[in-house]
Amino acid sequence: MPLRASDLLTLTREGLYCPLGRFHVDPTHPVERALITHGHADHARAGHGTVLATPETLRIMAVRYGEGFCATRQEARLGERMRIGDVTVFFAPAGHVRGSAQIAIERAGQRIVVSGDYKRAPDPTCLPFEVVPCDVFITEATFGLPVFRHPDTRGEVRKLIESVTLFPERAHVVGAYALGKAQRVMALLREEGWDRPIFLHGAMEKLTDLYKREGVPLGETPKVAASERKDLHGAIVLCPPSSIQDLWSRKFPDPVTAFASGWMRVRARARQKGVELPLVISDHSDWPDLCRTISDTGAEEVWVTHGQEDALVHWCGTQGIRAEPLHLLGYGDDGEAEPDPGQEPHMEEASA
């Protein structure tokens, strides 16, 4: 009898499960063996028995949860095939954040790819997405509506620099998610010629230091808490999105509030959050790239999860591709639900 996709992956209370390999992918509860796509907290949780992930993701998990985040850990080298139980597995770059990977599961000529979160846009802090041809593609749908079309990221960063030039006495306080987005914004600022210090909220420090140790050039990044108020005129400050409007932000001189997120394409969201300078910078694929990626994989069947599932399922139908929503629970709708400072190591963060 031919192998069915459901023989390779099925849904359990903990999330996607491979019965032939006896492992879960990005489980939402502690399990015996977990394969992790990337380090955001809605995909990478502490408390599993064995964790298999890229070396970068394992180091990110250790920073966030402590060295004892699992009983044993195993490094997955990109492209290296591994036998686990009765299946073969390999990891491929996802382009989402540092260390992020898609996970391909194979048996008897059938291949399923779990993409996790991914983007096709350039990112100086991580490897670019690689298309992995497959029979079944499991895609996110965070920005799975035609209205979501992300602009050129460098243009968004230049808007920030131009605002500082226009208002040299005002601090520019930029909300950005602590893992991936903050470091990407910093790297883009450096590439656009910003050579002054970039001030950081304390919640950004550990992960930014990790990126630096791994060779990502982010320049001078002093902590706000250690800085004089006079040094913050005309400064660029990065903080968790939740800090933009709280008491912490009131220490800055006449701050311009900014937010780096794909959701800033929706003006109503920017107004609701009191954002003066919305920056449309996302670590997820927009609608054109979601559609392009599905086509590029050549998949005959697509499973859609966390996001605007129905719209993407409908689009697949118009292309003659079988598709269905997975209705997975426990993942952020934007991958960027940000923890409040001090919630480490169990910070809740989703990936956008």
Side-chain angles (χ1 to χ4, degrees), residues 317-344:
T318 66
Q319 307 302 306
I321 301 170
R322 294 194 306 276
E324 60 180 304
L326 275 183
H327 301 301
L328 283 174
L329 301 178
Y331 299 94
D333 66 345
D334 61 0
E336 290 185 337
E338 185 66 12
D340 289 327
Q343 281 190 324
E344 294 272 12

Side-chain angles (χ1 to χ4, degrees), residues 9-142:
L9 273 181
T10 187
L11 280 180
T12 67
R13 183 184 72 96
E14 293 82 7
L16 287 169
Y17 178 65
C18 177
L20 294 174
R22 296 181 293 283
F23 61 80
H24 287 81
V25 179
D26 291 352
T28 56
H29 297 78
V31 298
E32 182 177 343
R33 185 174 197 132
L35 277 57
I36 303 296
T37 59
H38 66 281
H40 279 131
D42 56 335
H43 292 258
R45 292 172 164 85
H48 303 307
T50 297
V51 168
L52 174 64
T54 64
E56 294 88 351
T57 294
L58 292 174
R59 289 193 286 271
I60 288 169
M61 293 180 73
V63 166
R64 310 197 84 177
Y65 300 121
E67 291 294 335
F69 68 87
C70 66
T72 59
R73 66 186 79 174
Q74 181 181 358
E75 293 186 351
R77 302 291 175 180
L78 294 172
E80 181 179 279
R81 281 174 160 75
M82 293 166 283
R83 188 76 175 177
I84 304 178
D86 293 328
V87 299
T88 299
V89 170
F90 69 91
F91 287 53
H96 177 55
V97 297
R98 189 163 184 79
S100 62
Q102 308 167 77
I103 299 174
I105 304 167
E106 300 175 327
R107 179 180 164 85
Q110 176 93 250
R111 178 187 291 167
I112 291 182
V113 171
V114 183
S115 61
D117 294 324
Y118 64 95
K119 71 173 179 293
R120 307 292 295 269
D123 182 339
T125 69
C126 67
L127 293 173
F129 178 92
E130 287 185 8
V131 173
V132 181
C134 56
D135 302 289
V136 180
F137 185 59
I138 302 179
T139 180
E140 58 145 319
T142 301

